[in-house]
Amino acid sequence: MERTAGGTGGLGKFAKQAYWGCTLARESGRKVVDDIFLEAPPAPKRGARFFVFLGLFLLLLFWSFQGAKVRPGELIQGIPQIASTLGRMLPPDFSKMTDAKSYYFPENLSLTALLLPVPLSESQARSKQRWWNNTFPQTILGATLETVQMALAGTFLALFVAFPLGFLAARNTTPHPLVYHALRTVLNFLRTIPDLALGLVFVSAVGLGAFAGTLALAIHTATVLGKLLSESVENIDEGIVEAIRATGAGYAQILSFAVLPQILPDLISFTLYRLETNIRAASVLGLIGAGGIGYLMSTSFRTFQYQEAAAIVIVLIALVMLVDSLSSRLRNLVV
Amino acid sequence: MTILEIQGLHKSYGNHTEVLRGINLQIEQGEFVGIIGPSGAGKSTLLRCINRLIDPSSGAIMIPRALAGLGADGAKADVLSLGAHELRLLRRKVGMVFQQFNIVKRLSVIENVLSGGLGYRPGLRSMLRIFSREEKRQALTNLKRVGLLDHAYKRADQLSGGEQQRVAIARTLMQEPAIILADEPVSSLDPKLSRVVLDILKRVCREDGITALVSLHTLELTREYADRVIGLRQGQVFFDGPTPNLTDAIVDSVYHRRD
């Protein structure tokens, strides 16, 4: 027991461990357990510092709960209120699925002319465009499709920007350290802007509608994907880069043969993940008039059309679940 | 003909750790040279200085200018003073084989072999991994030489360690190299596979007249394969001579450490 006694301050814990070791050894009739503890170097002491951190962490938690005004009592009192709101949402009203207040089916167009790219006269083309741009997005179906389109277009645009950014903003593939630092700073700054704020900026720039929302999604996603990809590039096996460099390959060839194959699984799964996130984000952007199903939902709630709102929420849930399962299937297929 | 002449080569990191401390070597064309020495003796650093994957601190590495395609007048060039473009031309002619194989596991075997020819084919086509029929024929021929023709279209990570190293050798052959630098090529393989890989390496070097510098981790393999042995100790050449001259006493002092 000399080592224990000689330890500084940590006597309590280690002595206890050794003590239990002795008891165990006596009970099992073997001295081995005891001996190995004495032979081994003293175990690292967790001791006082651990409890200080634990205490600070608990204080932080308490402070957060207070600031967030977490009061379970009010929640319990509010349960009947929740129930009555939910009750008013039943049964969901799906009538707006393909119908809108100012809905009309363009009389001068056949269904095929409306859906397929066929040659049209000027007036036909105009009413077709009006139907797609103004009428159809007011239906739940139309707004849902618009949401999906916004998410797809936004993610694709983002990937287009983020793909080169990933290489330029990674320490090991950047052409110059200055490029690396500059891009990292810009990306970090832009990423702190919420997509709702970006949406407001673009609504004022390009007007209400899906384009503003798509731009907001694209910018925000580009910064997130750029950062994720650059980190993925930094984690690659440098040995392969060395091997390709040793063949006399140039910069672009090294990226194509040594780096890209290694980050490809990350590239695909990050992009699909952001696509899922963007479906949700696109449905919120409607609140500020930047297109998508969120606009219909907020209108329904504000006009107390709870049954209609319920239908929208259900469609939204189905959409998100569908995209989740599709993208996970796609991921398994390619990764 | 002397293909490589290393003069007073130093490499240090920062002010303190000096990995290479004045290496002088002369390598003749077609030699199969084994490099031995304890860990940290500078074997990997020496090999990487030759194709400048590591930049030496001082010294000279003289090669025939013709080797890097810089003229055929028999004049010499110093690897240390080559520009970026000339360096790439040199690297094409210097193949490298690594302990960890360093093949791209997610690409197919043939794509890995084709990547050896990148130095000859700059441009967009190779970047997009598009290769001509002639290039593919050459890759398949090289795969056949290492006995892996049947595996050409498999993904590289489906192959065993020994097979992956053979793919790496085939990749190197695509470079039509004059020199192969092999950094502990069989350290992560068992003795039986080690011999398979070294047999292939030695055979292709002899067939193509390639000069090989191979660092090895066991004396047994060194005595079996090397024509000439260089013993490194603490960044200096401690022994340099034909393999039969490598006595047990010399081996003892190569691995004797003064720490």
Side-chain angles (χ1 to χ4, degrees):
Chain A
M1 302 291 277
E2 319 158 3
R3 205 190 283 268
T4 333
T8 49
L11 184 115
K13 192 170 160 19
F14 192 77
K16 212 179 278 172
Q17 208 176 350
Y19 170 76
W20 284 112
C22 289
T23 330
L24 260 176
R26 254 200 304 282
E27 279 170 0
S28 63
R30 280 180 301 152
K31 241 13 205 129
V32 190
V33 180
D34 188 9
D35 289 341
I36 198 73
F37 274 115
L38 291 180
E39 269 177 55
K45 291 181 283 284
R46 209 157 48 170
R49 206 141 54 108
F50 173 76
F51 288 104
V52 170
F53 279 123
L54 186 68
L56 282 176
F57 178 66
L58 288 176
L59 270 177
L60 180 74
L61 264 187
F62 180 73
W63 177 73
S64 314
F65 269 68
Q66 216 180 21
K69 311 199 168 46
V70 177
R71 295 187 198 102
E74 283 179 20
L75 179 65
I76 292 167
Q77 277 179 0
I79 286 177
Q81 201 56 43
I82 296 175
S84 84
T85 306
L86 283 179
R88 267 180 282 160
M89 292 171 94
L90 290 175
D93 174 14
F94 285 98
S95 62
K96 266 207 182 171
M97 200 67 190
T98 53
D99 217 355
K101 279 197 185 71
S102 56
Y103 188 85
Y104 72 100
F105 194 80
E107 281 164 11
N108 55 348
L109 284 173
S110 67
L111 197 60
T112 28
L114 196 62
L115 296 177
L116 299 175
V118 287
L120 295 169
S121 74
E122 200 179 319
S123 71
Q124 279 179 319
R126 216 175 310 119
S127 53
K128 178 177 178 176
Q129 199 186 5
R130 200 160 48 225
W131 188 83
W132 277 109
N133 287 347
N134 301 330
T135 316
F136 189 51
Q138 287 176 35
T139 65
I140 298 179
L141 190 66
T144 308
L145 283 181
E146 192 181 71
T147 309
V148 174
Q149 287 167 328
M150 282 168 66
L152 280 171
T155 311
F156 181 78
L157 283 175
L159 185 63
F160 199 70
V161 176
F163 184 74
L165 279 184
F167 295 112
L168 298 176
R171 201 174 291 115
N172 48 349
T173 54
T174 190
H176 194 278
L178 274 179
V179 176
Y180 164 79
H181 285 294
L183 281 179
R184 278 288 166 111
T185 313
V186 172
L187 283 181
N188 284 338
F189 169 72
L190 284 178
R191 208 172 49 249
T192 55
I193 307 174
D195 39 16
L196 268 181
L198 285 172
L200 285 170
V201 171
F202 285 118
V203 163
S204 67
V206 301
L208 290 168
F211 185 43
T214 306
L215 282 176
L217 290 180
I219 299 285
H220 186 68
T221 306
T223 61
V224 176
L225 271 184
K227 163 99 170 161
L228 287 174
L229 284 182
S230 67
E231 274 165 9
S232 171
V233 169
E234 285 179 356
N235 285 333
I236 59 164
D237 179 357
E238 287 288 334
I240 296 171
V241 173
E242 197 181 28
I244 300 294
R245 178 173 290 131
T247 67
Y251 178 74
Q253 290 175 322
I254 292 174
L255 291 190
S256 162
F257 273 82
V259 183
L260 186 58
Q262 292 194 67
I263 65 159
L264 201 61
D266 274 355
L267 178 76
I268 292 167
S269 61
F270 290 156
T271 308
L272 286 175
Y273 174 69
R274 286 310 304 185
L275 182 66
E276 292 166 30
T277 319
N278 281 345
I279 296 266
R280 292 184 195 100
S283 40
V284 174
L285 280 169
L287 295 179
I288 54 164
I293 199 173
Y295 178 69
L296 279 190
M297 189 156 58
S298 76
T299 314
S300 307
F301 272 113
R302 270 184 305 196
T303 53
F304 306 108
Q305 307 286 323
Y306 286 110
Q307 289 172 319
E308 207 178 280
I312 296 172
V313 170
I314 288 170
V315 169
L316 199 54
I317 291 172
L319 174 68
V320 169
M321 281 170 64
L322 181 74
V323 171
D324 275 12
S325 82
L326 277 183
S327 75
S328 82
R329 225 172 269 184
L330 199 60
R331 204 178 352 239
N332 289 338
L333 205 69
V334 285
V335 176
Chain B
M1 188 187 95
T2 304
I3 195 163
L4 199 61
E5 199 177 337
I6 299 173
Q7 300 159 351
L9 196 69
H10 280 265
K11 173 64 189 177
S12 49
Y13 292 99
N15 292 323
H16 304 291
T17 38
E18 205 174 10
V19 190
L20 299 180
R21 304 192 297 173
I23 302 271
N24 293 294
L25 284 173
Q26 192 166 326
I27 308 288
E28 303 302 317
Q29 187 173 14
E31 281 188 305
F32 197 91
V33 183
I35 300 175
I36 59 169
S39 303
K43 302 186 295 280
S44 296
T45 308
L46 173 62
L47 291 176
R48 281 172 171 73
C49 282
I50 294 172
N51 60 359
R52 285 220 353 235
L53 285 180
I54 292 177
D55 273 320
S57 306
S58 65
I61 301 173
M62 306 307 292
I63 49 149
R65 286 183 68 80
L67 189 69
L70 302 170
D73 51 355
K76 300 254 177 183
D78 186 356
V79 173
L80 273 64
S81 57
L82 294 182
H85 178 66
E86 296 168 316
L87 181 60
R88 285 225 302 278
L89 295 183
L90 169 74
R91 281 178 179 163
R92 296 196 313 206
K93 299 303 280 184
V94 181
M96 193 152 195
V97 178
F98 301 83
Q99 179 180 355
Q100 300 303 331
F101 321 140
N102 289 347
I103 59 172
V104 188
K105 297 193 176 57
R106 297 182 51 82
L107 293 184
S108 68
V109 168
I110 188 170
E111 279 179 304
N112 269 287
V113 177
L114 284 163
S115 74
L118 286 176
Y120 293 96
R121 292 162 199 98
L124 196 63
R125 229 162 50 88
S126 69
M127 230 183 80
L128 298 173
R129 295 195 212 119
I130 300 168
F131 294 94
S132 70
R133 198 166 173 78
E134 195 41 54
E135 287 156 359
K136 286 177 190 163
R137 175 172 293 125
Q138 199 186 345
L140 290 172
T141 310
N142 285 323
L143 268 176
K144 193 177 177 189
R145 292 182 73 187
V146 299
L148 291 177
L149 188 57
D150 290 343
H151 299 296
Y153 299 104
K154 283 187 186 167
R155 234 169 80 150
D157 54 7
Q158 292 179 334
L159 269 56
S160 72
E163 288 167 339
Q164 291 189 17
Q165 192 62 300
R166 284 149 69 187
V167 173
I169 293 174
R171 172 175 68 188
T172 295
L173 289 176
M174 279 300 277
Q175 294 175 240
E176 296 171 351
I179 302 174
I180 287 182
L181 309 169
D183 183 20
E184 307 233 1
V186 293
S187 293
S188 22
L189 301 175
D190 68 39
K192 201 179 151 203
L193 282 178
S194 295
R195 288 198 166 76
V196 172
V197 168
L198 285 174
D199 277 337
I200 290 172
L201 185 60
K202 190 155 187 189
R203 175 169 51 78
V204 296
C205 284
R206 202 176 42 232
E207 285 170 357
D208 294 3
I210 300 168
T211 310
L213 274 73
V214 185
S215 71
L216 290 164
H217 67 302
T218 74
L219 283 167
E220 217 186 328
L221 292 172
T222 311
R223 287 199 162 115
E224 218 174 304
Y225 287 94
D227 310 324
R228 170 182 167 190
V229 177
I230 291 167
L232 290 187
R233 200 176 78 175
Q234 294 180 330
Q236 287 175 316
V237 176
F238 187 79
F239 172 83
D240 183 1
T243 308
N245 292 3
L246 185 72
T247 62
D248 289 346
I250 292 170
V251 168
D252 276 349
S253 48
V254 166
Y255 285 97
H256 176 255
R257 311 233 282 174
R258 282 176 289 178
D259 51 17

